[in-house]
Each structure stands twice: as C-alpha cells, then as structure tokens.
Amino acid sequence: MRAPPRLYALVAAAVLSVMGTALVPTAATASAASASATTAASAASASATTTAPVAPAAAPPKLRASGNKLVDENGATRRLLGVNRSGGEFMCVQGYGIFDGPVDDASVKAIADWKVNAVRIPLNEECWLGLSHIDPAYGGANYIAAVKALVARLEAHGITPIVELHWSHGKYTGGDNHCPGTEYATCQKPMPNAQYTPAFWTSVAQTFRSDQAVVFDLFNEPFPDRATSDPTAAWKCWRDGGSCPGIDFQVAGMQTLLNAVRTAGAKNLVLIPGVAYSNDLRQWLTYKPNDPAGNLAAAWHTYNFNTCASESCFNEQLAPVIAQVPFVAGEIGENTCSHGYIDRVMAWLDAKGASYLGWTWNTWDCSSGPSLISDYNGTPTNFGVGLRDHLKGMR
C-alpha cells in the first residue's frame, strides 16, 4: 500500500476509493509509536526470560513454482499465510530509525503465535543503497544488517521472509502523484526507476542468493495505468520500462528487475505484482516476464475500496491467473476496523489454494489504515481478530 501521513487518513479513505492505499503515521508519530513499542517490547522480553525454552522451529521451506502451486524442496505443496511488517520503507528516509516498533525475538514470536508462516518486509531502495541524503545510522551497511537480522529471526521461528521494494527514487508529477515535489523515496512511485532499482535488486539478490527460503517481491504497487489512459502502453511499461507515457523518469520494468536478480545468481522465488496498485492482473499472463529459473508467482493486493473487490471480479480476473501460476495476495485489508471483507477474500483464496498476507503488523489506529494489532505482544484489533482466528483455525 502507499503511505500518506496519518494526518490525511480520513480524507484519503474517501478520495482514494479505487486505489491500494496503506496509511502510515507521520515521522513524528512513528517515532513516538516506536518508542512506546520499544518499551512494551522490553517488558515482553523481560517476561520471556522467565519462561522455559522451547524447541527451535523447523526451517522455512525453499519454495519454488510448480505449475500453479508453490512447493518445497520435497515437492510438498505450500501456501504463504501471514502478515506484513511495515516500517522499513519509511522510518529510515524520515530519519527516525529503521523499523517502526520492535523486531526482536519476542516480537517475532508474537507474530509466530498467530500461526503465521510468512512475513513481508517492505524496504526502501535509498536506505539499502546508502544514498548520501540518508542518515548513515539508518542506511547502507547498518540498514542491510538490520534487514538480515530480521530475516534470520523470522527464519528461526520457521517463518518465510518476503523482502519487498516499497518506496523508490524518481520525481513523479503525473496522475496519482503522492510526493511530486521530490525525487527521493518518500512515497510510492508508479514504477521502479532505472537509476537505482536494478542496483537495489542486484544487491538484495547477492545478499540472499545462498538462502532460497527468502522470497523476493519486486515492487509494491505499480500504477503506470494512472500515468496514461492507454492500458496497452501501461502494461508494456510495466514489463519493459524505458520512457513510459506520463512518467517523468526512466523506468526499470519487471523484466529488467528480474534479470538483475537472476544475473546476480539468485534462484529464489520472485513475486511480480500487477498494475492499478497491484489490484489489476488482467494482462499479467500476456506480459509475464521471461524467467530462466522458472520460479515466478503472481502478486495481488486487495482492499474493500479497490476496483476489484467482489467475488464476481475475482472469478473473472483472478481465476485465469491462478489456474496457471502460483498466486500470492501480498496485502489484504479493509478500512472498516472490522474483518468482513477479508473474511470473504480468505474464503475465496482458500478455495483456490492461494496465499495471502494481512496488512499490517503495526500498532496504528485502524481508522487511518488496516492495522492488525494494538500492541506488539500480538493483541489483535477488531480487524486483526479476523486474520488471527482464521489462521489459527487452519492448523
């Protein structure tokens, strides 16, 4: 989801009725939330030391695509069922830290206690690459080390880490622009950029290529279709990049990013989203990038305010994709402070054997966006109850 400041949340919920729109706090609010969350995490860690040690979880699987299913190294069918852990995309570029709230072992255990088997980690390419305007305390080697440490903690609990590019470089002034006054990675852009994004994925792939339990999600929510009224041009831009209509910067298409991953020697599973903030997959099969490793899955996002938010649309637009390739709903959510919509989505995806992850494991007010928890001990919000109870009931 894209992430405007919390100040704009109520307006955004009404105006952006057809977009995928994650709402996160302002930098100051995020910093305060992190401070309180860290206090809570410290208390949780202290209490955790009094409990008896538990056996380590089984390692997460090395996933690969087989037909329209995900399978592990033994050929057993697997699904990714979990949550997003937002923060790594915005805290660093705002100069307040790396993650929003605790990511220590106690906090990861709280996630695992929901019977989660996958966590999606949104990232910022400028922070990973350590560009000069990023505070070195939160960028470059320090940022990479923090991400690697979180990946290791998740894997220690048997959870599949999904590393994903959320915010990227490039000044964009076209339709649905979210930060038109800057080229910096301070908001969601319509497409990745040729200047930095291939280098980001080369570095990420080199970092994790020896660990095929890590999944790569190439770009959060492309929306080249908001920059042009020509759907064919939008999908060509999505795949091939270059000079795209309505986009101010040179674009790196999905084929270029996939090539960067594979050239770096990584055979990991790669998720590739559609357009319209990942809500439209109608031409995904037509423009599907070529993968020499044959290890791709389609990624989709859905919220109650999206255009494709009904079972009839799911059957028409998604079912043909699910019939051919593995399918991961990387973000599911709603802005109702309840779970009626995601209950329907999960039921439909369960029937198809597809994967899904709730947005988001952060302690934000549900009125400013879908927040699964009210504290980092894992206490669910009214929205989060739906996902938690559903995941626990599946085991």
Side-chain angles (χ1 to χ4, degrees), residues 202-255:
T202 295
S203 178
V204 171
Q206 290 172 340
T207 300
F208 294 113
R209 63 189 173 191
S210 62
D211 182 2
Q212 291 189 45
V214 178
V215 175
F216 301 152
D217 188 346
L218 289 185
F219 194 68
N220 177 43
E221 292 182 343
F223 54 98
D225 51 303
R226 300 297 202 263
T228 177
S229 59
D230 183 346
T232 298
W235 277 100
K236 287 182 177 179
C237 174
W238 175 87
R239 183 189 62 194
D240 301 329
S243 297
C244 294
I247 298 180
D248 309 63
F249 53 85
Q250 286 291 299
V251 168
M254 297 300 141
Q255 185 66 66

Side-chain angles (χ1 to χ4, degrees), residues 18 73 86 117 121 145 177 199 201 221 242 268 270 301 345 361 379 386:
V18 295
E73 51 269 53
S86 182
N117 70 15
I121 309 168
N177 61 70
W201 275 115
E221 292 182 343
N268 306 55
V270 172
H301 293 183
V345 169
W361 191 274
T379 303

Side-chain angles (χ1 to χ4, degrees), residues 48-131:
T49 61
T50 65
T51 60
V54 295
K62 298 176 181 178
L63 294 172
R64 59 182 175 85
S66 178
N68 70 340
K69 302 296 182 185
L70 295 176
V71 299
D72 62 22
E73 51 269 53
N74 299 314
T77 299
R78 298 282 194 142
R79 298 169 68 197
L80 296 171
L81 302 169
V83 300
N84 287 261
R85 182 65 182 88
S86 182
E89 73 274 35
F90 65 87
M91 287 291 285
C92 57
V93 76
Q94 292 174 350
Y96 283 88
I98 295 178
F99 296 109
D100 178 33
V103 291
D104 58 6
D105 189 71
S107 66
V108 171
K109 181 182 183 301
I111 297 175
D113 286 346
W114 278 30
K115 305 305 179 185
V116 159
N117 70 15
V119 169
R120 184 169 174 261
I121 309 168
L123 300 180
N124 185 301
E125 70 180 15
E126 294 178 346
C127 299
W128 182 280
L129 294 172
L131 299 192

Side-chain angles (χ1 to χ4, degrees), residues 317-339:
Q317 297 186 15
L318 307 182
V321 180
I322 292 176
Q324 295 196 40
V325 295
F327 189 92
V328 179
E331 294 182 13
I332 64 172
E334 57 188 286
N335 60 357
T336 65
C337 295
S338 188
H339 51 86

